[in-house]
Amino acid sequence: MSLWPLLRLALEGVAPGGRLDLAIVAGAFARPQTWVALRHTLATAIAGTVLSLAIGGTIALTIGLTDIRGKALLVFAFMLPLLIAPQVTALAWLQVFGPSSPLLAAIGIAPAPGSPNPLHGPGGIALLLGLQHAPLVFLTLRAGLRGLPRELIEAAESAGAGRTRILTTVILPLMMPSLAAGAMLALTSAIGNFGIPALLGIPGGYTVLTTLIYQRLAGFGPAVLSEVAALSLLLGGIVIAGITLQGWLLRGEARLIPEGGARTLWPLGRWRRPIEVASWSFLALVLVLPLASLVATSLTPAYGVRLTWKGSTLEHYAYVLFEHGATRRAFRNSFALAAGAALALMAVSSLLGYFIAWRGSRLARLTGYVADIPYALPGVVLAVAMILIFLKPLPILGISLYNTLWIIFAAYLARFLPIALRPAVAGYRQLDRALEEAAESAGAGFFRRWLEVILPLVAPAAAAGAILVFLISFSELTVSALLWSAGAETVGVILFALEQGGDSVSAAAVAVLTVIATVAAMAAGWFFSRRLPPGILPWQA
């Protein structure tokens, strides 16, 4: 499920039909549209990464080094943009600045009807990519700060160095590997992002590689599979190069930062309240403002109509939940896919994590590395690979998964296995093997030891991984945009289709419902986080 899609994609790109033929690859690369899309991809991704570095780095230093209050809630709120689907983020921000913005209309500064939305184009794409992926920089830098050796800080303070000098000459140089790794993670995520450039770029004719692949496949179907396979190889190659560089940078961090360091805590004194106000004001700007605009749009009687208290209505929620057949089917499909993938991957990761964390054989470690590949690649690349694999009926069984819900389920299993596996492995590494050794000395076989002794102990960490899988897959769009078919719609696909079809009010209602589901799942994970090892859930403070 991890290597097969990549190998099938490479085979289709360089040897379509089983014979070596580079003409299709050469033809795809010779088209000016390919290089324009590549240039657009790199430009928006690099600009977004710079913004992610500024935001994520500042928040991580503030939370990691100071005594600011409410850290748990700050981390929870700051992680929300990462866990909300990109297309929902894009739709919310479109409602903030568009000519039909209910919030701008309420204060009388809405743009004139018919004027273009300022977010359509490269500036809007880069802005939202930066906001969406800033939590990735935050997570990487916060992990580095947790290993910051206190002795170096204390030595600098003893020598009379001020905080600014310690920050610029001691902390930031030590954190450079973490910052660089976070930047590469944000960059590769931005390169593979589909939801934001699809909603902000396609209407303005600004094409990046992911939307070019989508438009070619959606427009010409399986006839251009070899061409989109070549484009996918280009996109995948860029991302793999970035991931390789990120791994090299993190290896450098392990050499510089000794383990067992303690976090430094600087009291803010009289600056604590102003910094707290600034932090929450920023989160209100990037989180509450777009979501409030999204909610307001979903309550208007019709798109463009000014929202009033008496005129607000819930009829669009009733429409998408009870009347619109495709939307009801999409919610049902997405829930089944997300819950099924979460349960299946929880079972697989509970067992696979044992061999990776405790047995530590070369084969187990290799399996862990290979499992990361589908998640590291952009979703459209995996989707194209799945089409290539399942376009024809399965050998021997004679069953075709193409144009069914099962092809999306197979793609979810391949893509989200690392999301479920990492918490399980971390959970195993927090456990003492003495209990298993005692059971083994009492004559219990492997499966009895695993079922009766080990599984109850690692279950909370495995359940946390399942919550993460459900969160990410419920409103997923990047993979399902190329794999859906009539009757196999998902929430992400329906939201994208409603917005593209001009029904922005119904799209806003669907988006609000997905945000509610996301926050509810995050809150459930937060409620149980005290029973989990540190670092299992990304929004743990």
Side-chain angles (χ1 to χ4, degrees):
M1 293 299 293
S2 298
L3 267 185
W4 188 18
L6 188 62
L7 295 176
R8 183 67 184 87
L9 187 69
L11 181 66
E12 184 67 25
V14 301
R19 298 180 60 182
L20 182 64
D21 183 2
L22 299 179
I24 294 177
V25 175
F29 289 173
R31 289 190 180 87
Q33 296 95 322
T34 302
W35 297 106
V36 170
L38 176 61
R39 189 170 64 247
H40 289 173
T41 299
L42 294 177
T44 54
I46 291 172
T49 301
V50 172
L51 184 61
S52 295
L53 269 174
I55 298 173
T58 303
I59 298 291
L61 291 172
T62 303
I63 291 178
L65 294 179
T66 73
D67 62 346
I68 189 172
R69 291 171 292 191
K71 289 184 179 181
L73 198 55
L74 269 173
V75 173
F76 184 90
F78 187 64
M79 292 305 302
L80 261 178
L82 181 65
L83 296 169
I84 291 176
Q87 67 273 14
V88 174
T89 301
L91 184 62
W93 279 98
L94 284 173
Q95 305 310 319
V96 174
F97 293 109
S100 299
S101 168
L103 296 184
L104 297 184
I107 56 178
I109 59 171
S115 56
N117 194 307
L119 291 181
H120 282 153
I125 296 173
L127 172 65
L128 296 201
L129 289 176
L131 295 175
Q132 181 89 23
H133 301 130
L136 294 174
V137 177
F138 166 80
L139 288 173
T140 311
L141 182 55
R142 186 181 64 164
L145 289 171
R146 283 175 168 165
L148 186 66
R150 178 182 287 271
E151 304 79 38
L152 291 178
I153 308 299
E154 292 174 346
E157 288 175 338
S158 301
R163 291 180 183 177
T164 303
R165 189 173 181 187
I166 293 174
L167 181 66
T168 55
T169 60
V170 178
I171 296 176
L172 287 181
L174 285 174
M175 291 298 110
M176 274 303 162
S178 292
L179 278 171
M184 290 310 303
L185 194 57
L187 180 65
T188 53
S189 299
I191 288 172
N193 194 296
F194 173 75
I196 290 173
L199 282 175
L200 302 187
I202 290 178
Y206 192 85
T207 306
V208 298
L209 278 175
T210 53
T211 55
L212 177 62
I213 291 171
Y214 167 77
Q215 289 175 312
R216 295 291 294 171
L217 199 54
F220 299 95
V224 294
L225 267 176
S226 298
E227 179 191 334
V228 297
L231 293 173
S232 300
L233 287 176
L234 172 63
L235 186 60
I238 296 170
V239 171
I240 288 175
I243 293 170
T244 304
L245 182 57
Q246 177 201 352
W248 180 79
L249 292 168
L250 280 176
R251 188 172 58 180
E253 179 188 36
R255 176 172 53 81
L256 285 170
I257 308 298
E259 294 183 356
R263 277 184 288 176
T264 302
L265 195 65
W266 280 340
L268 292 171
R270 62 189 176 90
W271 289 101
R272 185 160 74 169
R273 187 176 296 278
I275 290 177
E276 288 172 349
V277 171
S279 300
W280 283 108
S281 299
F282 172 76
L283 286 176
L285 178 67
V286 301
L287 187 63
V288 178
L289 178 64
L291 292 181
S293 188
L294 194 65
V295 172
T297 301
S298 70
L299 296 176
T300 55
Y303 191 62
V305 176
R306 185 170 181 174
L307 180 65
T308 62
W309 179 254
K310 289 185 178 179
S312 61
T313 176
L314 295 174
E315 65 180 22
H316 304 295
Y317 290 95
Y319 173 70
V320 299
L321 285 174
F322 305 114
E323 299 175 20
H324 193 253
T327 308
R328 284 190 291 121
R329 196 165 50 241
F331 274 106
R332 191 168 59 242
N333 289 341
S334 286
F335 183 83
L337 286 168
L343 292 174
L345 292 177
M346 182 174 68
V348 171
S349 60
S350 298
L351 187 59
L352 187 56
Y354 171 87
F355 292 98
I356 293 176
W358 280 7
R359 293 296 176 89
S361 66
R362 185 173 298 177
L363 179 61
R365 291 198 302 271
L366 180 62
T367 304
Y369 294 140
V370 170
D372 282 342
I373 294 175
Y375 189 71
L377 290 174
V380 292
V381 175
L382 178 65
V384 171
M386 285 293 171
I387 293 173
L388 290 168
I389 290 174
F390 294 115
L391 187 60
K392 296 179 180 177
L394 295 173
I396 301 175
L397 297 176
I399 300 172
S400 177
L401 302 186
Y402 187 63
N403 277 340
T404 71
L405 206 59
W406 291 103
I407 190 173
I408 303 177
F409 185 68
Y412 283 5
L413 292 182
R415 184 163 178 78
F416 300 127
L417 175 58
I419 300 297
L421 188 58
R422 286 172 186 167
V425 171
Y428 274 107
R429 287 178 175 156
Q430 300 280 337
L431 297 178
D432 189 347
R433 293 194 65 180
L435 286 175
E436 190 208 11
E437 291 166 357
E440 186 175 15
S441 61
F446 169 73
F447 282 105
R448 188 176 179 187
R449 297 197 308 271
W450 185 72
L451 281 173
E452 298 182 4
V453 178
I454 303 170
L455 187 57
L457 296 174
V458 82
I467 291 174
L468 286 174
V469 170
F470 183 88
L471 266 172
I472 297 173
S473 58
F474 180 72
S475 54
E476 189 277 338
L477 171 65
T478 309
V479 172
S480 53
L482 293 179
L483 299 180
W484 76 280
S485 57
E489 303 92 343
T490 63
V491 170
V493 168
I494 282 295
L495 193 154
F496 182 58
L498 288 171
E499 175 63 17
Q500 292 294 297
D503 192 356
S504 297
V505 183
S506 296
V510 173
V512 170
L513 292 172
T514 61
V515 171
I516 292 173
T518 301
V519 174
M522 286 181 67
W526 196 24
F527 182 77
F528 292 108
S529 61
R530 291 183 179 179
R531 300 182 56 187
L532 299 174
I536 292 290
L537 293 173
W539 56 91
Q540 281 178 284

